[in-house]
Amino acid sequence: MAAMSSTDSSPSALKLSTQDLYRLLEPITVPSHSPRARFTNWGLSFTCKPLAVFEPENDYQCELILELARREGKVLRAVGVGHSPSDLACTNGFMLRATKMNHILEVNVEKRYVIAQAGITLNDLHRELAKNNLAMSNVGSISEQTLAGVITTGTHGSGIEYKVLSDSVLALTLLVADGSRVTCSRNENADLFIATLCGLGSTGVILSIQFEVEPAYRLKEEQESVPFDEFVSNMDTLVHSAEHARFWWFPTSDTVRCSYSNRTSEPRNPAGSWLWHSFLGHHVVQLLLFVARFFTFLNPLIANFACWLVSEKTVGVDDSHRIFNVDCRYPQHTTEWAIPLKHSQACLRELRAWLEQEHADPHGIRPHFPIEIRVSASDDIWLSPSNDITLFSSLKCDPLRPYGFNVPYRRLFEGYEAIVAKYEGRPHWAKAHKLRPDTLRKMYPRFDDFVRIIESVDPQGIFRNDYVQRHIMGRPIDTRVYKQRRD
């Protein structure tokens, strides 16, 4: 993909009249009657109708958008594909949709880094890196998100020696509230850099990202299913047994599906089949889950069926990102919390005891999905869930929404979150949660440093949408303002 950028001859946004701003922005303004003028996140849980939606293709157009927001006193929210299952991207002000800012600006094979525009998706980044025999060192469960979205939410993969993906960022170019472009790294504007790495879009508009990569590699993934007690008793050993280990616990069958991935030079030999994993595992399971919306007693049976589908030992070899990524199948309600690894066994046992109590209750919760468990290393990023934790495990709870229809989840989330919070849990920033500054300040030693930075670079709060105002600044804003359905 060829890079696109503004030219030196472009007039400064500050010197333009408001009328000229409107004229220059018209070609990149989404018409109000277009479906794209409305935003709904991937999980179908939050939606908003921004005052205006802009789709810039270069840095200069971003400057024009910011200048208009400054003059009209509007909140400006930069978004990607909207994968966060919370209202993190929602606004009633201006929305800057960065998906056309998706170009590679530089690839340095020798020094192993790439510079890309912020709106490039990981899928596109994988393809571009592969052309140069390069790859990301770690990837999360999906690659539909934009690179900037991954960075600003503390997204992580799995691997006891691997930190959140933001840790691979070497430098950023940022458009801050006064209209200036700022380059930051650990050696230049270091506080702004660290704050932006998990900054929830509140420090400015990320224009480009210098990202560390490595030579392309394949992974050999071995999967097996083990009883829950065996997994928990040996968890300390299992999380260290591969470069990238991750697990899926099926509570209804008391079984844990274990995945162990290591770098290999073996030829590609993907595991799985269309009949087993696509037709049965995707389409048939989705149909059954839809029926279970009306007959909830079926949910444990469906969960056991899904567990049985993946019960055999499998071995697969593929390009790294194909092994890292999993089929998320359908929209989901999602909550995810990180807890110190030392508490994981006790936390998992308490979660099982609670779910067993629910199962014994005729009116109890009937989960239909596995709880995903991943492990990662500590980092020094101020708002990263793994900040200042030696090792952490991430427990992700995803009630699936067949065909996009709603399913009960609130009681499940309340019980789950009450337990993980007892074990020093911290919520994933991209997921919906109820915590406010008084609680978050106790969890994050550098929380006030983060607030200081965003107040210094954005004193008027141009980049503070309702999510940031609620969770970071403590404003009394209802979490259900942008709810797609009143569930």
Side-chain angles (χ1 to χ4, degrees), residues 207-241:
L207 300 174
S208 64
I209 301 160
Q210 183 181 8
F211 197 84
E212 186 176 20
V213 294
E214 66 175 88
Y217 59 97
R218 295 192 187 100
L219 288 172
K220 181 177 184 178
E221 181 185 38
E222 302 177 60
Q223 290 196 15
E224 64 176 356
S225 296
V226 301
F228 176 86
D229 285 324
E230 179 182 334
F231 167 74
V232 174
S233 297
N234 297 289
M235 188 172 177
D236 286 339
T237 300
L238 295 178
V239 298
H240 288 89
S241 62

mmCIF file of all heavy atoms in Angstrom, residues 207-241:
data_model
loop_
_atom_site.group_PDB
_atom_site.id
_atom_site.type_symbol
_atom_site.label_atom_id
_atom_site.label_comp_id
_atom_site.label_asym_id
_atom_site.label_seq_id
_atom_site.Cartn_x
_atom_site.Cartn_y
_atom_site.Cartn_z
ATOM 1 N N LEU A 207 -1.216 9.383 14.805
ATOM 2 C CA LEU A 207 -1.095 9.451 13.349
ATOM 3 C C LEU A 207 -0.289 8.292 12.789
ATOM 4 O O LEU A 207 -0.679 7.672 11.804
ATOM 5 C CB LEU A 207 -0.450 10.778 12.951
ATOM 6 C CG LEU A 207 -1.202 12.043 13.368
ATOM 7 C CD1 LEU A 207 -0.374 13.285 13.028
ATOM 8 C CD2 LEU A 207 -2.575 12.116 12.694
ATOM 9 N N SER A 208 0.850 7.995 13.405
ATOM 10 C CA SER A 208 1.691 6.896 12.928
ATOM 11 C C SER A 208 2.373 6.225 14.105
ATOM 12 O O SER A 208 2.540 6.817 15.177
ATOM 13 C CB SER A 208 2.734 7.385 11.920
ATOM 14 O OG SER A 208 3.642 8.292 12.524
ATOM 15 N N ILE A 209 2.769 4.980 13.866
ATOM 16 C CA ILE A 209 3.317 4.137 14.921
ATOM 17 C C ILE A 209 4.554 3.420 14.391
ATOM 18 O O ILE A 209 4.509 2.793 13.322
ATOM 19 C CB ILE A 209 2.278 3.089 15.374
ATOM 20 C CG1 ILE A 209 1.014 3.780 15.898
ATOM 21 C CG2 ILE A 209 2.861 2.144 16.412
ATOM 22 C CD1 ILE A 209 -0.202 2.885 15.915
ATOM 23 N N GLN A 210 5.643 3.543 15.107
ATOM 24 C CA GLN A 210 6.837 2.740 14.818
ATOM 25 C C GLN A 210 6.786 1.516 15.719
ATOM 26 O O GLN A 210 6.769 1.629 16.948
ATOM 27 C CB GLN A 210 8.124 3.528 15.062
ATOM 28 C CG GLN A 210 9.380 2.744 14.692
ATOM 29 C CD GLN A 210 10.663 3.520 14.967
ATOM 30 O OE1 GLN A 210 10.633 4.594 15.567
ATOM 31 N NE2 GLN A 210 11.787 2.979 14.535
ATOM 32 N N PHE A 211 6.748 0.340 15.111
ATOM 33 C CA PHE A 211 6.445 -0.891 15.837
ATOM 34 C C PHE A 211 7.540 -1.920 15.608
ATOM 35 O O PHE A 211 7.928 -2.196 14.472
ATOM 36 C CB PHE A 211 5.093 -1.437 15.356
ATOM 37 C CG PHE A 211 4.459 -2.439 16.262
ATOM 38 C CD1 PHE A 211 3.698 -2.030 17.351
ATOM 39 C CD2 PHE A 211 4.601 -3.804 16.025
ATOM 40 C CE1 PHE A 211 3.092 -2.962 18.185
ATOM 41 C CE2 PHE A 211 4.005 -4.743 16.854
ATOM 42 C CZ PHE A 211 3.245 -4.317 17.942
ATOM 43 N N GLU A 212 8.024 -2.507 16.672
ATOM 44 C CA GLU A 212 9.084 -3.516 16.582
ATOM 45 C C GLU A 212 8.517 -4.846 16.109
ATOM 46 O O GLU A 212 7.455 -5.286 16.567
ATOM 47 C CB GLU A 212 9.732 -3.686 17.946
ATOM 48 C CG GLU A 212 10.939 -4.601 17.963
ATOM 49 C CD GLU A 212 11.612 -4.663 19.320
ATOM 50 O OE1 GLU A 212 10.957 -4.323 20.328
ATOM 51 O OE2 GLU A 212 12.795 -5.053 19.366
ATOM 52 N N VAL A 213 9.211 -5.493 15.177
ATOM 53 C CA VAL A 213 8.781 -6.779 14.645
ATOM 54 C C VAL A 213 9.961 -7.741 14.657
ATOM 55 O O VAL A 213 11.050 -7.407 15.127
ATOM 56 C CB VAL A 213 8.197 -6.636 13.220
ATOM 57 C CG1 VAL A 213 6.904 -5.835 13.250
ATOM 58 C CG2 VAL A 213 9.215 -5.964 12.284
ATOM 59 N N GLU A 214 9.763 -8.937 14.131
ATOM 60 C CA GLU A 214 10.837 -9.921 14.073
ATOM 61 C C GLU A 214 10.726 -10.709 12.778
ATOM 62 O O GLU A 214 9.720 -10.602 12.063
ATOM 63 C CB GLU A 214 10.784 -10.860 15.281
ATOM 64 C CG GLU A 214 9.558 -11.754 15.347
ATOM 65 C CD GLU A 214 9.639 -12.753 16.500
ATOM 66 O OE1 GLU A 214 9.211 -12.402 17.621
ATOM 67 O OE2 GLU A 214 10.132 -13.873 16.262
ATOM 68 N N PRO A 215 11.756 -11.491 12.431
ATOM 69 C CA PRO A 215 11.657 -12.309 11.216
ATOM 70 C C PRO A 215 10.438 -13.221 11.269
ATOM 71 O O PRO A 215 10.053 -13.726 12.327
ATOM 72 C CB PRO A 215 12.962 -13.116 11.239
ATOM 73 C CG PRO A 215 13.919 -12.260 12.000
ATOM 74 C CD PRO A 215 13.094 -11.587 13.058
ATOM 75 N N ALA A 216 9.805 -13.410 10.111
ATOM 76 C CA ALA A 216 8.597 -14.227 10.046
ATOM 77 C C ALA A 216 8.880 -15.633 10.573
ATOM 78 O O ALA A 216 9.979 -16.169 10.426
ATOM 79 C CB ALA A 216 8.094 -14.289 8.612
ATOM 80 N N TYR A 217 7.876 -16.227 11.196
ATOM 81 C CA TYR A 217 8.043 -17.544 11.799
ATOM 82 C C TYR A 217 6.710 -18.300 11.767
ATOM 83 O O TYR A 217 5.641 -17.710 11.625
ATOM 84 C CB TYR A 217 8.545 -17.422 13.237
ATOM 85 C CG TYR A 217 7.627 -16.618 14.147
ATOM 86 C CD1 TYR A 217 6.706 -17.239 14.977
ATOM 87 C CD2 TYR A 217 7.681 -15.220 14.155
ATOM 88 C CE1 TYR A 217 5.860 -16.503 15.790
ATOM 89 C CE2 TYR A 217 6.841 -14.473 14.974
ATOM 90 C CZ TYR A 217 5.939 -15.121 15.786
ATOM 91 O OH TYR A 217 5.095 -14.393 16.588
ATOM 92 N N ARG A 218 6.829 -19.599 11.893
ATOM 93 C CA ARG A 218 5.647 -20.444 12.039
ATOM 94 C C ARG A 218 5.559 -20.907 13.489
ATOM 95 O O ARG A 218 6.552 -20.937 14.218
ATOM 96 C CB ARG A 218 5.719 -21.657 11.113
ATOM 97 C CG ARG A 218 5.681 -21.309 9.639
ATOM 98 C CD ARG A 218 5.459 -22.578 8.802
ATOM 99 N NE ARG A 218 5.584 -22.276 7.380
ATOM 100 C CZ ARG A 218 6.668 -22.522 6.652
ATOM 101 N NH1 ARG A 218 7.715 -23.089 7.223
ATOM 102 N NH2 ARG A 218 6.713 -22.212 5.367
ATOM 103 N N LEU A 219 4.348 -21.278 13.871
ATOM 104 C CA LEU A 219 4.117 -21.849 15.191
ATOM 105 C C LEU A 219 3.559 -23.256 15.041
ATOM 106 O O LEU A 219 2.741 -23.522 14.163
ATOM 107 C CB LEU A 219 3.124 -21.002 15.987
ATOM 108 C CG LEU A 219 3.614 -19.651 16.514
ATOM 109 C CD1 LEU A 219 2.453 -18.875 17.113
ATOM 110 C CD2 LEU A 219 4.733 -19.818 17.528
ATOM 111 N N LYS A 220 4.012 -24.122 15.906
ATOM 112 C CA LYS A 220 3.441 -25.463 16.023
ATOM 113 C C LYS A 220 2.561 -25.478 17.263
ATOM 114 O O LYS A 220 3.055 -25.295 18.381
ATOM 115 C CB LYS A 220 4.530 -26.519 16.123
ATOM 116 C CG LYS A 220 3.997 -27.941 16.222
ATOM 117 C CD LYS A 220 5.145 -28.954 16.253
ATOM 118 C CE LYS A 220 4.621 -30.386 16.263
ATOM 119 N NZ LYS A 220 5.742 -31.368 16.256
ATOM 120 N N GLU A 221 1.269 -25.657 17.047
ATOM 121 C CA GLU A 221 0.319 -25.636 18.155
ATOM 122 C C GLU A 221 -0.169 -27.047 18.447
ATOM 123 O O GLU A 221 -0.670 -27.749 17.567
ATOM 124 C CB GLU A 221 -0.879 -24.749 17.836
ATOM 125 C CG GLU A 221 -1.889 -24.683 18.976
ATOM 126 C CD GLU A 221 -3.140 -23.895 18.615
ATOM 127 O OE1 GLU A 221 -3.591 -24.006 17.462
ATOM 128 O OE2 GLU A 221 -3.655 -23.171 19.494
ATOM 129 N N GLU A 222 -0.030 -27.449 19.699
ATOM 130 C CA GLU A 222 -0.553 -28.715 20.172
ATOM 131 C C GLU A 222 -1.672 -28.436 21.164
ATOM 132 O O GLU A 222 -1.496 -27.651 22.092
ATOM 133 C CB GLU A 222 0.546 -29.549 20.825
ATOM 134 C CG GLU A 222 1.714 -29.829 19.880
ATOM 135 C CD GLU A 222 2.830 -30.601 20.551
ATOM 136 O OE1 GLU A 222 2.565 -31.729 21.014
ATOM 137 O OE2 GLU A 222 3.947 -30.061 20.629
ATOM 138 N N GLN A 223 -2.818 -29.065 20.950
ATOM 139 C CA GLN A 223 -3.960 -28.879 21.837
ATOM 140 C C GLN A 223 -4.400 -30.204 22.431
ATOM 141 O O GLN A 223 -4.367 -31.241 21.764
ATOM 142 C CB GLN A 223 -5.140 -28.241 21.086
ATOM 143 C CG GLN A 223 -4.937 -26.793 20.699
ATOM 144 C CD GLN A 223 -6.242 -26.109 20.314
ATOM 145 O OE1 GLN A 223 -7.330 -26.612 20.585
ATOM 146 N NE2 GLN A 223 -6.142 -24.945 19.687
ATOM 147 N N GLU A 224 -4.821 -30.139 23.692
ATOM 148 C CA GLU A 224 -5.363 -31.304 24.371
ATOM 149 C C GLU A 224 -6.350 -30.835 25.431
ATOM 150 O O GLU A 224 -6.323 -29.671 25.849
ATOM 151 C CB GLU A 224 -4.255 -32.124 25.029
ATOM 152 C CG GLU A 224 -3.518 -31.376 26.132
ATOM 153 C CD GLU A 224 -2.492 -32.243 26.841
ATOM 154 O OE1 GLU A 224 -2.401 -33.443 26.538
ATOM 155 O OE2 GLU A 224 -1.783 -31.708 27.719
ATOM 156 N N SER A 225 -7.226 -31.724 25.861
ATOM 157 C CA SER A 225 -8.196 -31.413 26.904
ATOM 158 C C SER A 225 -7.843 -32.192 28.166
ATOM 159 O O SER A 225 -7.501 -33.380 28.092
ATOM 160 C CB SER A 225 -9.609 -31.782 26.443
ATOM 161 O OG SER A 225 -9.990 -31.001 25.331
ATOM 162 N N VAL A 226 -7.928 -31.507 29.307
ATOM 163 C CA VAL A 226 -7.604 -32.134 30.592
ATOM 164 C C VAL A 226 -8.689 -31.779 31.602
ATOM 165 O O VAL A 226 -9.361 -30.748 31.466
ATOM 166 C CB VAL A 226 -6.224 -31.694 31.119
ATOM 167 C CG1 VAL A 226 -5.123 -32.049 30.121
ATOM 168 C CG2 VAL A 226 -6.200 -30.197 31.410
ATOM 169 N N PRO A 227 -8.865 -32.587 32.647
ATOM 170 C CA PRO A 227 -9.833 -32.239 33.690
ATOM 171 C C PRO A 227 -9.433 -30.958 34.408
ATOM 172 O O PRO A 227 -8.241 -30.635 34.536
ATOM 173 C CB PRO A 227 -9.779 -33.443 34.635
ATOM 174 C CG PRO A 227 -9.217 -34.554 33.817
ATOM 175 C CD PRO A 227 -8.266 -33.907 32.851
ATOM 176 N N PHE A 228 -10.436 -30.238 34.896
ATOM 177 C CA PHE A 228 -10.204 -28.966 35.561
ATOM 178 C C PHE A 228 -9.230 -29.101 36.726
ATOM 179 O O PHE A 228 -8.290 -28.303 36.861
ATOM 180 C CB PHE A 228 -11.536 -28.400 36.062
ATOM 181 C CG PHE A 228 -11.414 -27.117 36.848
ATOM 182 C CD1 PHE A 228 -11.396 -25.892 36.203
ATOM 183 C CD2 PHE A 228 -11.326 -27.140 38.239
ATOM 184 C CE1 PHE A 228 -11.276 -24.709 36.925
ATOM 185 C CE2 PHE A 228 -11.210 -25.967 38.969
ATOM 186 C CZ PHE A 228 -11.190 -24.749 38.308
ATOM 187 N N ASP A 229 -9.431 -30.094 37.591
ATOM 188 C CA ASP A 229 -8.561 -30.237 38.766
ATOM 189 C C ASP A 229 -7.111 -30.473 38.362
ATOM 190 O O ASP A 229 -6.187 -29.950 38.989
ATOM 191 C CB ASP A 229 -9.054 -31.375 39.657
ATOM 192 C CG ASP A 229 -10.301 -30.992 40.449
ATOM 193 O OD1 ASP A 229 -10.400 -29.816 40.866
ATOM 194 O OD2 ASP A 229 -11.166 -31.860 40.657
ATOM 195 N N GLU A 230 -6.906 -31.268 37.321
ATOM 196 C CA GLU A 230 -5.547 -31.517 36.843
ATOM 197 C C GLU A 230 -4.913 -30.226 36.331
ATOM 198 O O GLU A 230 -3.735 -29.949 36.608
ATOM 199 C CB GLU A 230 -5.566 -32.574 35.741
ATOM 200 C CG GLU A 230 -4.194 -32.880 35.148
ATOM 201 C CD GLU A 230 -4.260 -33.897 34.021
ATOM 202 O OE1 GLU A 230 -5.211 -34.709 34.002
ATOM 203 O OE2 GLU A 230 -3.358 -33.875 33.151
ATOM 204 N N PHE A 231 -5.685 -29.445 35.596
ATOM 205 C CA PHE A 231 -5.161 -28.188 35.079
ATOM 206 C C PHE A 231 -4.787 -27.234 36.208
ATOM 207 O O PHE A 231 -3.672 -26.700 36.237
ATOM 208 C CB PHE A 231 -6.184 -27.525 34.164
ATOM 209 C CG PHE A 231 -5.865 -26.089 33.840
ATOM 210 C CD1 PHE A 231 -4.847 -25.764 32.957
ATOM 211 C CD2 PHE A 231 -6.565 -25.052 34.452
ATOM 212 C CE1 PHE A 231 -4.539 -24.448 32.669
ATOM 213 C CE2 PHE A 231 -6.270 -23.732 34.167
ATOM 214 C CZ PHE A 231 -5.252 -23.426 33.282
ATOM 215 N N VAL A 232 -5.708 -27.018 37.150
ATOM 216 C CA VAL A 232 -5.445 -26.048 38.215
ATOM 217 C C VAL A 232 -4.277 -26.493 39.080
ATOM 218 O O VAL A 232 -3.419 -25.682 39.456
ATOM 219 C CB VAL A 232 -6.715 -25.832 39.062
ATOM 220 C CG1 VAL A 232 -6.411 -24.944 40.264
ATOM 221 C CG2 VAL A 232 -7.806 -25.186 38.215
ATOM 222 N N SER A 233 -4.193 -27.773 39.386
ATOM 223 C CA SER A 233 -3.101 -28.265 40.233
ATOM 224 C C SER A 233 -1.741 -28.078 39.571
ATOM 225 O O SER A 233 -0.729 -27.887 40.262
ATOM 226 C CB SER A 233 -3.323 -29.746 40.553
ATOM 227 O OG SER A 233 -4.515 -29.935 41.286
ATOM 228 N N ASN A 234 -1.708 -28.129 38.244
ATOM 229 C CA ASN A 234 -0.437 -28.034 37.507
ATOM 230 C C ASN A 234 -0.293 -26.719 36.748
ATOM 231 O O ASN A 234 0.567 -26.600 35.871
ATOM 232 C CB ASN A 234 -0.320 -29.195 36.526
ATOM 233 C CG ASN A 234 -0.270 -30.535 37.219
ATOM 234 O OD1 ASN A 234 0.716 -30.886 37.850
ATOM 235 N ND2 ASN A 234 -1.360 -31.292 37.117
ATOM 236 N N MET A 235 -1.101 -25.727 37.095
ATOM 237 C CA MET A 235 -1.141 -24.496 36.302
ATOM 238 C C MET A 235 0.217 -23.796 36.261
ATOM 239 O O MET A 235 0.639 -23.309 35.207
ATOM 240 C CB MET A 235 -2.194 -23.547 36.862
ATOM 241 C CG MET A 235 -2.435 -22.328 36.002
ATOM 242 S SD MET A 235 -3.832 -21.350 36.587
ATOM 243 C CE MET A 235 -3.782 -19.975 35.421
ATOM 244 N N ASP A 236 0.922 -23.757 37.382
ATOM 245 C CA ASP A 236 2.225 -23.083 37.397
ATOM 246 C C ASP A 236 3.193 -23.707 36.402
ATOM 247 O O ASP A 236 4.017 -23.004 35.796
ATOM 248 C CB ASP A 236 2.822 -23.130 38.810
ATOM 249 C CG ASP A 236 2.140 -22.169 39.771
ATOM 250 O OD1 ASP A 236 1.503 -21.216 39.276
ATOM 251 O OD2 ASP A 236 2.233 -22.367 40.988
ATOM 252 N N THR A 237 3.110 -25.021 36.241
ATOM 253 C CA THR A 237 3.977 -25.706 35.273
ATOM 254 C C THR A 237 3.480 -25.515 33.853
ATOM 255 O O THR A 237 4.261 -25.239 32.932
ATOM 256 C CB THR A 237 4.043 -27.212 35.594
ATOM 257 O OG1 THR A 237 4.568 -27.389 36.910
ATOM 258 C CG2 THR A 237 4.922 -27.945 34.586
ATOM 259 N N LEU A 238 2.169 -25.607 33.661
ATOM 260 C CA LEU A 238 1.607 -25.554 32.309
ATOM 261 C C LEU A 238 1.818 -24.201 31.640
ATOM 262 O O LEU A 238 2.063 -24.137 30.431
ATOM 263 C CB LEU A 238 0.113 -25.881 32.356
ATOM 264 C CG LEU A 238 -0.248 -27.306 32.798
ATOM 265 C CD1 LEU A 238 -1.748 -27.487 32.862
ATOM 266 C CD2 LEU A 238 0.385 -28.334 31.870
ATOM 267 N N VAL A 239 1.716 -23.109 32.390
ATOM 268 C CA VAL A 239 1.872 -21.790 31.764
ATOM 269 C C VAL A 239 3.303 -21.549 31.308
ATOM 270 O O VAL A 239 3.553 -20.673 30.469
ATOM 271 C CB VAL A 239 1.415 -20.666 32.715
ATOM 272 C CG1 VAL A 239 -0.060 -20.799 33.048
ATOM 273 C CG2 VAL A 239 2.265 -20.609 33.980
ATOM 274 N N HIS A 240 4.253 -22.327 31.852
ATOM 275 C CA HIS A 240 5.650 -22.202 31.439
ATOM 276 C C HIS A 240 6.050 -23.266 30.423
ATOM 277 O O HIS A 240 7.214 -23.336 30.021
ATOM 278 C CB HIS A 240 6.574 -22.324 32.662
ATOM 279 C CG HIS A 240 6.551 -21.134 33.572
ATOM 280 N ND1 HIS A 240 5.665 -21.020 34.618
ATOM 281 C CD2 HIS A 240 7.310 -20.015 33.590
ATOM 282 C CE1 HIS A 240 5.871 -19.883 35.255
ATOM 283 N NE2 HIS A 240 6.853 -19.250 34.652
ATOM 284 N N SER A 241 5.098 -24.091 29.986
ATOM 285 C CA SER A 241 5.449 -25.257 29.172
ATOM 286 C C SER A 241 5.564 -24.956 27.694
ATOM 287 O O SER A 241 5.886 -25.853 26.907
ATOM 288 C CB SER A 241 4.416 -26.371 29.398
ATOM 289 O OG SER A 241 3.133 -25.938 28.986
#
